[in-house]
Amino acid sequence: MSSKTIAVLSESELKDGQMKEVAFEGEGKVLLSRLGDKIHATSAFCTHYGAPLAKGVLTADGRVVCPWHGACFNVCNGDIEDAPAPTALHSFKAEIKDGQILVTADPENTTKKNMSRQPRLLATGSAQSTTPGVVIVGGGSGAFHAVESLREHNYNGAITILSKEPHAPIDRTKLSKALVTDPSKLEWRPAAELKSKYGVTLRTGAEATQIDFKGKSVVIGSSGERVPYETLILATGGVPRKLPVEGKDLGKVFTLRSVEDAKNIDSEVQEGKKLVVIGSSFISMELVVAVSKRNLASIDVIGMESAPFEAVLGTQVGKALQKFHESKGVKFHLKSSVSKLVPSSGSPTDVGTVVVKGPDGTETSLPADVVIMGVGVGPATEYLKNSAGVTLDKTGAVEVDEFLRVQGVDGSVYAIGDIALYPQPGTGEKRRIEHWNVAGNHGRAVGKTIAEGKGQPFVKVPVFWSAQGQQLRYCGVGAGYDDVIVDGNLDEMKFVVYYVKNDKVVAVASMQRDPVVSKASELLRLGLMPTPSELKAGKDLLTVDIASTAAKIKVA
Protein backbone atom coordinates (compact mmCIF):
# COMPACT_ATOMS: atom_id res chain seq x y z
CA MET A 1 0.00 0.00 0.00
CA SER A 2 1.27 3.51 -0.78
CA SER A 3 1.74 6.27 1.76
CA LYS A 4 -0.99 8.70 2.69
CA THR A 5 -0.89 12.13 4.28
CA ILE A 6 -3.58 12.64 6.91
CA ALA A 7 -4.38 15.44 9.36
CA VAL A 8 -4.36 13.68 12.74
CA LEU A 9 -4.53 16.39 15.40
CA SER A 10 -4.74 20.12 15.95
CA GLU A 11 -1.31 21.54 16.72
CA SER A 12 -2.72 23.31 19.79
CA GLU A 13 -3.63 19.94 21.34
CA LEU A 14 -0.02 18.78 21.59
CA LYS A 15 2.11 20.72 24.06
CA ASP A 16 5.88 20.73 24.46
CA GLY A 17 6.97 17.52 26.23
CA GLN A 18 3.69 15.69 25.49
CA MET A 19 2.91 12.42 23.69
CA LYS A 20 -0.43 11.43 22.20
CA GLU A 21 -1.67 8.34 20.40
CA VAL A 22 -3.82 9.34 17.40
CA ALA A 23 -5.86 7.38 14.86
CA PHE A 24 -4.55 6.92 11.35
CA GLU A 25 -7.04 5.47 8.87
CA GLY A 26 -9.00 2.45 10.00
CA GLU A 27 -7.20 0.50 12.71
CA GLY A 28 -3.99 2.48 12.40
CA LYS A 29 -2.38 4.30 15.33
CA VAL A 30 0.46 6.82 15.39
CA LEU A 31 2.42 8.16 18.35
CA LEU A 32 3.02 11.91 18.24
CA SER A 33 5.78 13.35 20.43
CA ARG A 34 6.53 17.06 20.76
CA LEU A 35 9.99 18.26 21.76
CA GLY A 36 10.01 22.06 21.67
CA ASP A 37 8.80 23.18 18.25
CA LYS A 38 9.55 19.83 16.63
CA ILE A 39 6.87 17.15 16.29
CA HIS A 40 7.87 13.52 15.70
CA ALA A 41 5.65 10.65 14.54
CA THR A 42 6.35 6.95 15.07
CA SER A 43 4.44 3.70 15.33
CA ALA A 44 2.49 3.62 18.58
CA PHE A 45 3.28 0.25 20.18
CA CYS A 46 6.38 -1.22 21.79
CA THR A 47 7.94 -3.90 19.60
CA HIS A 48 8.55 -6.15 22.62
CA TYR A 49 5.04 -7.02 23.90
CA GLY A 50 2.93 -4.34 22.19
CA ALA A 51 2.48 -1.91 25.09
CA PRO A 52 0.95 1.49 24.16
CA LEU A 53 3.92 3.85 24.23
CA ALA A 54 1.71 6.90 24.85
CA LYS A 55 1.31 5.55 28.40
CA GLY A 56 5.08 5.50 28.85
CA VAL A 57 7.62 8.24 29.52
CA LEU A 58 9.09 10.87 27.17
CA THR A 59 12.34 12.74 27.83
CA ALA A 60 13.73 15.92 26.35
CA ASP A 61 16.64 14.01 24.84
CA GLY A 62 14.22 12.10 22.62
CA ARG A 63 13.70 8.85 24.51
CA VAL A 64 10.33 7.14 24.89
CA VAL A 65 10.31 4.41 27.55
CA CYS A 66 7.76 1.58 27.45
CA PRO A 67 5.52 1.53 30.57
CA TRP A 68 5.78 -2.26 30.94
CA HIS A 69 9.30 -3.66 30.60
CA GLY A 70 11.73 -0.79 30.10
CA ALA A 71 12.24 -1.01 26.32
CA CYS A 72 13.23 2.39 24.97
CA PHE A 73 13.22 4.04 21.54
CA ASN A 74 14.37 7.30 19.98
CA VAL A 75 11.27 9.25 18.92
CA CYS A 76 13.28 11.23 16.35
CA ASN A 77 14.04 8.19 14.18
CA GLY A 78 12.40 5.15 15.83
CA ASP A 79 15.72 3.45 16.62
CA ILE A 80 16.16 1.21 19.65
CA GLU A 81 17.75 2.82 22.69
CA ASP A 82 17.35 0.01 25.26
CA ALA A 83 16.49 -3.69 25.36
CA PRO A 84 14.26 -5.67 25.37
CA ALA A 85 13.00 -4.04 22.18
CA PRO A 86 13.87 -6.51 19.39
CA THR A 87 13.18 -4.13 16.48
CA ALA A 88 12.85 -0.40 15.91
CA LEU A 89 9.70 1.67 15.56
CA HIS A 90 8.48 2.94 12.21
CA SER A 91 9.28 6.63 11.85
CA PHE A 92 6.91 8.82 9.83
CA LYS A 93 7.04 12.33 8.38
CA ALA A 94 5.21 14.90 10.52
CA GLU A 95 4.55 18.53 9.58
CA ILE A 96 2.28 21.40 10.59
CA LYS A 97 -0.02 23.04 8.05
CA ASP A 98 -2.89 25.44 8.76
CA GLY A 99 -2.76 24.62 12.44
CA GLN A 100 -3.05 20.87 11.86
CA ILE A 101 -0.46 18.13 12.38
CA LEU A 102 -0.11 16.10 9.18
CA VAL A 103 1.45 12.63 9.21
CA THR A 104 2.61 10.83 6.08
CA ALA A 105 2.73 7.05 6.45
CA ASP A 106 1.92 3.75 4.85
CA PRO A 107 -1.28 2.77 6.71
CA GLU A 108 -0.05 -0.84 6.97
CA ASN A 109 2.88 0.34 9.09
CA THR A 110 0.57 2.01 11.61
CA THR A 111 -1.30 -1.14 12.66
CA LYS A 112 -0.40 -3.14 15.75
CA LYS A 113 0.18 -6.31 13.74
CA ASN A 114 2.86 -4.50 11.69
CA MET A 115 4.17 -2.26 14.45
CA SER A 116 7.90 -2.82 14.01
CA ARG A 117 10.37 -1.68 11.41
CA GLN A 118 12.57 -4.18 9.64
CA PRO A 119 15.95 -4.05 11.36
CA ARG A 120 18.99 -2.97 9.41
CA LEU A 121 20.03 -6.16 7.68
CA LEU A 122 22.79 -7.19 5.35
CA ALA A 123 21.75 -6.57 1.78
CA THR A 124 23.05 -9.95 0.61
CA GLY A 125 22.37 -11.95 3.76
CA SER A 126 26.09 -12.70 4.11
CA ALA A 127 29.03 -10.80 5.56
CA GLN A 128 31.17 -8.65 3.31
CA SER A 129 34.38 -9.95 4.89
CA THR A 130 35.84 -13.46 4.89
CA THR A 131 37.79 -12.87 8.13
CA PRO A 132 36.55 -14.52 11.37
CA GLY A 133 34.79 -11.38 12.57
CA VAL A 134 32.78 -11.50 15.81
CA VAL A 135 32.23 -14.76 17.66
CA ILE A 136 29.57 -14.85 20.39
CA VAL A 137 29.62 -17.67 22.93
CA GLY A 138 26.11 -18.13 24.35
CA GLY A 139 22.48 -18.33 23.25
CA GLY A 140 20.37 -15.93 25.29
CA SER A 141 19.30 -12.31 25.47
CA GLY A 142 22.84 -10.92 25.39
CA ALA A 143 23.74 -12.88 22.26
CA PHE A 144 20.67 -11.81 20.30
CA HIS A 145 20.86 -8.14 21.25
CA ALA A 146 24.56 -8.08 20.40
CA VAL A 147 23.72 -9.33 16.89
CA GLU A 148 20.89 -6.81 16.51
CA SER A 149 23.13 -3.96 17.68
CA LEU A 150 26.05 -4.96 15.45
CA ARG A 151 23.87 -4.84 12.35
CA GLU A 152 21.93 -1.75 13.48
CA HIS A 153 25.24 0.08 13.76
CA ASN A 154 26.38 -1.08 10.31
CA TYR A 155 28.81 -3.84 11.20
CA ASN A 156 29.27 -5.82 7.96
CA GLY A 157 31.73 -8.47 9.11
CA ALA A 158 31.06 -12.12 9.91
CA ILE A 159 29.10 -13.04 13.05
CA THR A 160 29.16 -16.54 14.54
CA ILE A 161 27.10 -17.71 17.51
CA LEU A 162 28.30 -20.77 19.41
CA SER A 163 25.49 -22.07 21.62
CA LYS A 164 25.42 -25.31 23.56
CA GLU A 165 21.63 -25.29 23.27
CA PRO A 166 19.84 -26.93 20.31
CA HIS A 167 17.99 -23.82 19.11
CA ALA A 168 18.48 -20.15 18.26
CA PRO A 169 18.85 -17.59 21.09
CA ILE A 170 15.70 -17.49 23.22
CA ASP A 171 13.69 -15.15 25.43
CA ARG A 172 14.49 -17.02 28.64
CA THR A 173 12.04 -15.03 30.78
CA LYS A 174 9.13 -17.00 29.32
CA LEU A 175 10.44 -20.22 30.86
CA SER A 176 9.69 -19.20 34.44
CA LYS A 177 6.95 -16.64 33.82
CA ALA A 178 4.80 -18.90 31.61
CA LEU A 179 6.56 -22.31 31.47
CA VAL A 180 6.67 -22.15 27.67
CA THR A 181 8.21 -25.36 26.31
CA ASP A 182 8.15 -24.82 22.53
CA PRO A 183 11.50 -23.33 21.38
CA SER A 184 9.86 -21.81 18.30
CA LYS A 185 7.77 -19.63 20.63
CA LEU A 186 10.86 -18.53 22.56
CA GLU A 187 13.38 -17.77 19.81
CA TRP A 188 14.06 -14.10 19.13
CA ARG A 189 14.61 -15.01 15.47
CA PRO A 190 14.52 -18.46 13.85
CA ALA A 191 17.87 -19.89 12.82
CA ALA A 192 16.96 -19.54 9.14
CA GLU A 193 16.23 -15.83 9.55
CA LEU A 194 19.43 -15.24 11.50
CA LYS A 195 21.27 -16.74 8.54
CA SER A 196 19.35 -15.25 5.61
CA LYS A 197 18.78 -11.75 6.96
CA TYR A 198 21.46 -11.13 9.59
CA GLY A 199 24.21 -13.14 7.98
CA VAL A 200 24.80 -15.07 11.22
CA THR A 201 26.39 -18.49 11.35
CA LEU A 202 24.60 -20.24 14.20
CA ARG A 203 26.21 -23.39 15.57
CA THR A 204 23.97 -25.17 18.04
CA GLY A 205 25.16 -27.93 20.36
CA ALA A 206 28.56 -26.21 20.34
CA GLU A 207 29.80 -25.93 23.92
CA ALA A 208 32.96 -23.94 24.61
CA THR A 209 35.49 -25.85 26.69
CA GLN A 210 38.35 -23.34 26.59
CA ILE A 211 39.38 -19.97 25.14
CA ASP A 212 42.83 -19.58 23.62
CA PHE A 213 43.20 -15.83 24.10
CA LYS A 214 46.71 -15.73 22.72
CA GLY A 215 45.75 -17.67 19.59
CA LYS A 216 42.35 -15.91 19.39
CA SER A 217 40.20 -19.02 19.10
CA VAL A 218 37.39 -20.78 20.96
CA VAL A 219 37.85 -24.49 21.67
CA ILE A 220 34.54 -26.38 21.42
CA GLY A 221 33.48 -29.92 22.24
CA SER A 222 35.56 -32.95 23.07
CA SER A 223 37.16 -32.94 19.61
CA GLY A 224 39.17 -29.81 20.42
CA GLU A 225 37.92 -27.98 17.32
CA ARG A 226 39.02 -24.35 17.26
CA VAL A 227 36.84 -21.50 16.03
CA PRO A 228 38.92 -18.39 15.29
CA TYR A 229 37.75 -14.89 16.19
CA GLU A 230 38.80 -11.30 15.70
CA THR A 231 36.48 -10.06 18.44
CA LEU A 232 34.94 -12.28 21.11
CA ILE A 233 31.78 -11.78 23.18
CA LEU A 234 31.33 -14.12 26.15
CA ALA A 235 27.60 -14.38 26.93
CA THR A 236 27.25 -17.78 28.57
CA GLY A 237 24.82 -16.75 31.31
CA GLY A 238 24.27 -18.67 34.52
CA VAL A 239 24.21 -22.21 35.84
CA PRO A 240 21.43 -23.08 38.34
CA ARG A 241 22.72 -24.00 41.76
CA LYS A 242 21.67 -27.12 43.66
CA LEU A 243 21.76 -27.32 47.42
CA PRO A 244 24.58 -29.60 48.60
CA VAL A 245 22.23 -31.86 50.52
CA GLU A 246 21.61 -35.59 50.58
CA GLY A 247 19.21 -36.62 47.80
CA LYS A 248 19.78 -33.60 45.56
CA ASP A 249 20.33 -35.86 42.54
CA LEU A 250 17.18 -37.95 42.95
CA GLY A 251 14.71 -38.13 40.10
CA LYS A 252 11.93 -35.52 39.89
CA VAL A 253 14.26 -32.88 41.40
CA PHE A 254 14.60 -30.04 38.90
CA THR A 255 16.23 -26.68 38.32
CA LEU A 256 15.11 -24.30 35.58
CA ARG A 257 17.39 -22.79 32.95
CA SER A 258 16.77 -24.51 29.62
CA VAL A 259 13.85 -25.49 27.43
CA GLU A 260 14.54 -29.11 28.38
CA ASP A 261 14.22 -28.18 32.06
CA ALA A 262 10.88 -26.50 31.34
CA LYS A 263 9.64 -29.58 29.47
CA ASN A 264 10.57 -31.84 32.38
CA ILE A 265 8.84 -29.60 34.92
CA ASP A 266 5.78 -29.17 32.71
CA SER A 267 5.35 -32.92 32.26
CA GLU A 268 5.64 -33.70 35.98
CA VAL A 269 3.84 -30.79 37.65
CA GLN A 270 0.31 -31.91 36.83
CA GLU A 271 -3.05 -32.16 38.57
CA GLY A 272 -2.98 -33.93 41.92
CA LYS A 273 0.80 -33.73 42.36
CA LYS A 274 2.53 -32.49 45.51
CA LEU A 275 5.05 -29.78 44.64
CA VAL A 276 7.83 -28.54 46.92
CA VAL A 277 9.72 -25.43 45.83
CA ILE A 278 13.06 -24.70 47.49
CA GLY A 279 13.83 -20.98 47.40
CA SER A 280 11.43 -18.06 47.73
CA SER A 281 12.80 -15.53 45.26
CA PHE A 282 11.83 -14.61 41.72
CA ILE A 283 12.41 -17.70 39.55
CA SER A 284 10.84 -19.95 42.19
CA MET A 285 7.79 -17.78 42.77
CA GLU A 286 7.24 -17.11 39.05
CA LEU A 287 7.07 -20.86 38.56
CA VAL A 288 4.60 -21.11 41.45
CA VAL A 289 2.39 -18.57 39.65
CA ALA A 290 2.77 -20.42 36.35
CA VAL A 291 1.56 -23.77 37.80
CA SER A 292 -0.85 -22.53 40.47
CA LYS A 293 -3.94 -23.12 38.28
CA ARG A 294 -3.13 -26.78 37.65
CA ASN A 295 -5.14 -28.05 40.62
CA LEU A 296 -2.10 -29.47 42.40
CA ALA A 297 -2.60 -31.36 45.66
CA SER A 298 -0.23 -28.98 47.45
CA ILE A 299 2.43 -26.33 46.89
CA ASP A 300 5.00 -25.85 49.66
CA VAL A 301 7.68 -23.14 49.43
CA ILE A 302 10.80 -23.29 51.62
CA GLY A 303 12.78 -20.10 52.17
CA MET A 304 15.62 -19.05 54.45
CA GLU A 305 14.39 -15.45 54.76
CA SER A 306 11.55 -14.21 56.96
CA ALA A 307 9.54 -13.27 53.85
CA PRO A 308 9.76 -14.14 50.15
CA PHE A 309 11.84 -11.69 48.09
CA GLU A 310 13.08 -10.12 51.33
CA ALA A 311 16.68 -9.50 50.21
CA VAL A 312 15.57 -7.48 47.19
CA LEU A 313 12.14 -6.06 48.05
CA GLY A 314 12.29 -5.88 51.84
CA THR A 315 10.17 -7.46 54.54
CA GLN A 316 7.08 -5.28 54.08
CA VAL A 317 6.69 -5.97 50.36
CA GLY A 318 7.70 -9.60 50.81
CA LYS A 319 5.01 -10.17 53.45
CA ALA A 320 2.38 -8.57 51.21
CA LEU A 321 3.31 -10.85 48.31
CA GLN A 322 3.39 -13.83 50.67
CA LYS A 323 -0.16 -13.03 51.71
CA PHE A 324 -1.25 -12.99 48.06
CA HIS A 325 0.32 -16.39 47.37
CA GLU A 326 -1.17 -17.86 50.53
CA SER A 327 -4.61 -16.77 49.33
CA LYS A 328 -4.00 -19.04 46.32
CA GLY A 329 -3.22 -22.05 48.51
CA VAL A 330 0.57 -21.82 48.72
CA LYS A 331 2.07 -22.81 52.08
CA PHE A 332 5.33 -21.16 53.15
CA HIS A 333 8.05 -22.57 55.43
CA LEU A 334 10.24 -19.54 56.13
CA LYS A 335 13.41 -19.04 58.16
CA SER A 336 13.89 -22.71 57.29
CA SER A 337 16.45 -24.90 55.55
CA VAL A 338 16.44 -28.26 53.81
CA SER A 339 18.08 -31.09 55.73
CA LYS A 340 17.78 -33.76 53.06
CA LEU A 341 15.66 -35.21 50.27
CA VAL A 342 14.37 -38.72 50.89
CA PRO A 343 13.56 -41.26 48.14
CA SER A 344 9.99 -42.35 47.52
CA SER A 345 9.05 -45.73 48.94
CA GLY A 346 7.27 -46.57 45.71
CA SER A 347 10.08 -45.41 43.43
CA PRO A 348 13.43 -45.38 45.26
CA THR A 349 15.22 -43.44 42.50
CA ASP A 350 12.74 -40.54 42.76
CA VAL A 351 12.18 -38.00 45.50
CA GLY A 352 9.35 -38.68 47.93
CA THR A 353 9.92 -36.42 50.94
CA VAL A 354 11.69 -33.16 51.75
CA VAL A 355 12.92 -32.85 55.32
CA VAL A 356 12.81 -29.21 56.47
CA LYS A 357 14.48 -27.72 59.54
CA GLY A 358 12.41 -24.88 60.96
CA PRO A 359 13.61 -21.76 62.82
CA ASP A 360 13.40 -23.60 66.15
CA GLY A 361 15.47 -26.53 64.87
CA THR A 362 12.49 -28.88 64.59
CA GLU A 363 12.42 -31.05 61.49
CA THR A 364 9.28 -31.53 59.41
CA SER A 365 8.76 -33.98 56.54
CA LEU A 366 6.94 -32.61 53.48
CA PRO A 367 5.59 -35.17 50.98
CA ALA A 368 6.80 -34.38 47.45
CA ASP A 369 6.09 -35.80 44.01
CA VAL A 370 8.19 -33.04 42.42
CA VAL A 371 10.87 -30.72 43.81
CA ILE A 372 12.07 -27.53 42.14
CA MET A 373 15.27 -25.92 43.38
CA GLY A 374 15.28 -22.19 42.78
CA VAL A 375 18.25 -21.20 44.88
CA GLY A 376 20.05 -18.92 42.46
CA VAL A 377 22.59 -19.28 39.69
CA GLY A 378 26.34 -19.05 39.38
CA PRO A 379 28.29 -17.67 36.40
CA ALA A 380 28.61 -20.22 33.59
CA THR A 381 32.38 -19.86 33.28
CA GLU A 382 33.74 -23.36 33.84
CA TYR A 383 35.32 -23.23 30.38
CA LEU A 384 37.40 -20.20 31.43
CA LYS A 385 39.08 -22.04 34.29
CA ASN A 386 41.27 -23.77 31.70
CA SER A 387 41.93 -20.54 29.79
CA ALA A 388 45.18 -18.81 30.57
CA GLY A 389 45.10 -15.03 30.84
CA VAL A 390 41.76 -14.35 32.51
CA THR A 391 41.11 -14.29 36.25
CA LEU A 392 37.75 -15.21 37.77
CA ASP A 393 36.57 -13.98 41.15
CA LYS A 394 35.57 -16.42 43.89
CA THR A 395 32.04 -16.74 42.44
CA GLY A 396 33.36 -17.48 38.94
CA ALA A 397 32.50 -14.04 37.55
CA VAL A 398 34.60 -12.30 34.89
CA GLU A 399 35.89 -8.84 35.78
CA VAL A 400 35.30 -6.24 33.05
CA ASP A 401 35.90 -2.51 32.72
CA GLU A 402 33.31 0.20 32.07
CA PHE A 403 33.28 -0.79 28.37
CA LEU A 404 32.61 -4.46 29.34
CA ARG A 405 36.07 -5.51 28.13
CA VAL A 406 37.57 -8.51 29.91
CA GLN A 407 40.48 -7.59 32.13
CA GLY A 408 43.79 -9.40 31.76
CA VAL A 409 43.55 -10.05 28.00
CA ASP A 410 43.69 -7.82 24.93
CA GLY A 411 40.87 -5.39 24.21
CA SER A 412 39.11 -7.64 21.69
CA VAL A 413 37.27 -9.72 24.32
CA TYR A 414 34.03 -8.70 26.06
CA ALA A 415 31.92 -10.40 28.75
CA ILE A 416 28.25 -9.60 29.23
CA GLY A 417 25.20 -10.62 31.24
CA ASP A 418 25.24 -12.96 34.23
CA ILE A 419 28.98 -13.64 34.06
CA ALA A 420 30.14 -10.00 34.01
CA LEU A 421 31.38 -8.23 37.14
CA TYR A 422 31.09 -4.63 35.96
CA PRO A 423 31.48 -1.16 37.56
CA GLN A 424 28.25 0.55 38.57
CA PRO A 425 27.58 4.06 37.28
CA GLY A 426 28.30 6.75 39.84
CA THR A 427 29.95 4.53 42.46
CA GLY A 428 32.39 2.41 40.46
CA GLU A 429 31.50 -0.53 42.72
CA LYS A 430 31.74 -3.77 40.77
CA ARG A 431 28.65 -5.97 40.83
CA ARG A 432 27.25 -8.91 38.91
CA ILE A 433 23.59 -8.29 38.04
CA GLU A 434 21.48 -11.19 36.79
CA HIS A 435 18.60 -9.16 35.31
CA TRP A 436 17.63 -10.23 31.83
CA ASN A 437 17.41 -6.59 30.65
CA VAL A 438 21.00 -6.03 31.79
CA ALA A 439 22.23 -8.88 29.58
CA GLY A 440 20.31 -7.47 26.62
CA ASN A 441 21.61 -3.96 27.13
CA HIS A 442 25.14 -5.29 27.64
CA GLY A 443 24.82 -6.96 24.24
CA ARG A 444 23.55 -3.77 22.63
CA ALA A 445 26.36 -1.70 24.16
CA VAL A 446 29.10 -4.08 23.06
CA GLY A 447 27.60 -4.41 19.57
CA LYS A 448 27.72 -0.64 19.15
CA THR A 449 31.25 -0.43 20.52
CA ILE A 450 32.52 -3.08 18.11
CA ALA A 451 30.66 -1.66 15.10
CA GLU A 452 31.75 1.92 15.67
CA GLY A 453 35.21 1.18 17.04
CA LYS A 454 34.61 3.58 19.89
CA GLY A 455 33.65 2.49 23.38
CA GLN A 456 31.19 4.25 25.65
CA PRO A 457 30.90 3.41 29.35
CA PHE A 458 27.95 1.18 30.22
CA VAL A 459 25.61 3.34 32.31
CA LYS A 460 22.16 1.77 31.85
CA VAL A 461 19.85 1.56 34.86
CA PRO A 462 18.94 -2.09 35.60
CA VAL A 463 15.26 -2.96 35.13
CA PHE A 464 13.27 -6.14 35.76
CA TRP A 465 9.68 -7.28 36.14
CA SER A 466 8.03 -10.31 37.68
CA ALA A 467 4.57 -11.86 37.46
CA GLN A 468 3.35 -12.08 41.05
CA GLY A 469 -0.41 -11.86 40.66
CA GLN A 470 0.02 -8.30 39.49
CA GLN A 471 3.03 -7.22 37.46
CA LEU A 472 5.86 -6.10 39.71
CA ARG A 473 8.21 -3.52 38.17
CA TYR A 474 11.66 -2.68 39.55
CA CYS A 475 14.55 -0.43 38.55
CA GLY A 476 17.89 0.50 40.06
CA VAL A 477 20.33 -1.30 42.35
CA GLY A 478 18.87 -1.56 45.83
CA ALA A 479 21.54 -3.77 47.43
CA GLY A 480 22.41 -2.58 50.91
CA TYR A 481 19.47 -0.17 51.20
CA ASP A 482 19.06 1.34 54.68
CA ASP A 483 15.52 2.73 54.46
CA VAL A 484 12.26 1.96 52.67
CA ILE A 485 9.52 4.45 51.76
CA VAL A 486 6.11 2.97 50.95
CA ASP A 487 3.54 4.91 48.94
CA GLY A 488 0.22 3.10 48.49
CA ASN A 489 -1.49 0.00 49.82
CA LEU A 490 0.62 -3.15 50.02
CA ASP A 491 -2.35 -5.37 50.87
CA GLU A 492 -4.17 -4.23 47.73
CA MET A 493 -0.94 -4.76 45.74
CA LYS A 494 -1.10 -1.19 44.47
CA PHE A 495 2.02 0.66 45.57
CA VAL A 496 5.32 2.37 44.88
CA VAL A 497 8.27 1.53 47.15
CA TYR A 498 11.48 3.56 47.24
CA TYR A 499 14.74 2.00 48.47
CA VAL A 500 17.10 4.48 50.08
CA LYS A 501 20.84 4.25 50.72
CA ASN A 502 22.90 7.06 52.24
CA ASP A 503 19.90 9.41 51.92
CA LYS A 504 19.52 8.76 48.18
CA VAL A 505 16.89 6.73 46.35
CA VAL A 506 18.77 3.88 44.66
CA ALA A 507 15.88 1.67 43.50
CA VAL A 508 12.11 1.79 42.98
CA ALA A 509 9.51 -0.99 42.84
CA SER A 510 5.83 -0.74 41.94
CA MET A 511 2.62 -2.64 41.29
CA GLN A 512 -0.39 -1.23 39.42
CA ARG A 513 1.23 2.21 39.28
CA ASP A 514 2.60 2.32 35.73
CA PRO A 515 4.54 4.19 34.43
CA VAL A 516 6.18 5.09 37.74
CA VAL A 517 9.11 2.68 37.38
CA SER A 518 9.73 3.78 33.77
CA LYS A 519 9.83 7.37 35.00
CA ALA A 520 12.03 6.40 37.95
CA SER A 521 14.56 4.68 35.68
CA GLU A 522 14.92 7.90 33.67
CA LEU A 523 15.18 10.04 36.80
CA LEU A 524 17.94 7.75 38.09
CA ARG A 525 19.68 7.95 34.70
CA LEU A 526 19.51 11.74 34.67
CA GLY A 527 20.39 12.22 38.34
CA LEU A 528 17.05 13.95 38.96
CA MET A 529 15.44 11.56 41.43
CA PRO A 530 13.67 13.47 44.25
CA THR A 531 15.19 13.18 47.69
CA PRO A 532 13.78 10.83 50.33
CA SER A 533 12.50 13.82 52.32
CA GLU A 534 10.65 15.15 49.26
CA LEU A 535 9.07 11.75 48.66
CA LYS A 536 8.03 11.41 52.30
CA ALA A 537 6.39 14.82 51.97
CA GLY A 538 4.27 13.53 49.08
CA LYS A 539 6.31 14.39 45.97
CA ASP A 540 4.93 12.55 42.92
CA LEU A 541 7.57 11.30 40.46
CA LEU A 542 5.20 11.71 37.56
CA THR A 543 5.09 15.48 38.12
CA VAL A 544 8.84 15.90 37.58
CA ASP A 545 9.35 17.52 34.17
CA ILE A 546 11.97 15.73 32.09
CA ALA A 547 10.30 16.13 28.69
CA SER A 548 9.77 19.81 27.90
CA THR A 549 12.41 22.25 26.69
CA ALA A 550 12.24 23.80 30.17
CA ALA A 551 13.27 20.50 31.77
CA LYS A 552 16.56 20.73 33.58
CA ILE A 553 18.23 17.77 31.93
CA LYS A 554 21.45 17.53 30.04
CA VAL A 555 20.44 16.71 26.47
CA ALA A 556 23.02 14.52 24.70
Side-chain angles (χ1 to χ4, degrees), residues 166 190 263 320 415 440 477:
K263 287 179 178 178
V477 180

Side-chain angles (χ1 to χ4, degrees), residues 82-95:
D82 294 346
T87 47
L89 300 176
H90 291 286
S91 182
F92 310 121
K93 180 182 177 182
E95 56 187 331

Side-chain angles (χ1 to χ4, degrees), residues 320-484:
L321 295 177
Q322 177 183 342
K323 189 174 180 181
F324 165 79
H325 285 290
E326 287 174 336
S327 74
K328 305 298 181 182
V330 179
K331 185 175 181 181
F332 286 87
H333 308 266
L334 298 170
K335 294 185 178 179
S336 300
S337 60
V338 175
S339 298
K340 61 181 176 179
L341 307 183
V342 180
S344 165
S345 58
S347 178
T349 59
D350 293 335
V351 70
T353 304
V354 179
V355 180
V356 182
K357 181 181 289 187
D360 62 356
T362 302
E363 290 193 335
T364 304
S365 294
L366 302 177
D369 298 309
V370 185
V371 173
I372 296 172
M373 284 196 184
V375 293
V377 301
T381 54
E382 188 66 29
Y383 63 100
L384 291 175
K385 292 179 180 177
N386 299 319
S387 305
V390 65
T391 302
L392 306 178
D393 81 345
K394 62 182 180 181
T395 71
V398 183
E399 186 172 345
V400 298
D401 65 12
E402 68 270 31
F403 305 112
L404 304 174
R405 296 178 302 203
V406 175
Q407 301 298 279
V409 296
D410 70 57
S412 66
V413 182
Y414 300 82
I416 64 176
D418 290 2
I419 69 172
L421 189 70
Y422 73 98
Q424 300 303 298
T427 67
E429 176 193 15
K430 292 206 169 183
R431 299 190 67 86
R432 190 174 67 84
I433 296 180
E434 296 169 1
H435 302 346
W436 180 74
N437 268 29
V438 169
N441 279 322
H442 276 177
R444 287 193 52 76
V446 167
K448 182 177 181 181
T449 292
I450 294 168
E452 296 183 349
K454 180 178 64 176
Q456 293 180 337
F458 183 81
V459 294
K460 301 292 185 184
V461 175
V463 173
F464 76 83
W465 71 97
S466 183
Q468 297 299 326
Q470 300 292 340
Q471 287 290 330
L472 175 79
R473 322 278 188 207
Y474 183 99
C475 70
V477 180
Y481 62 85
D482 50 44
D483 192 14
V484 175

Side-chain angles (χ1 to χ4, degrees), residues 197 214 305 409 426:
K197 294 183 178 180
K214 190 170 289 187
E305 299 172 310
V409 296

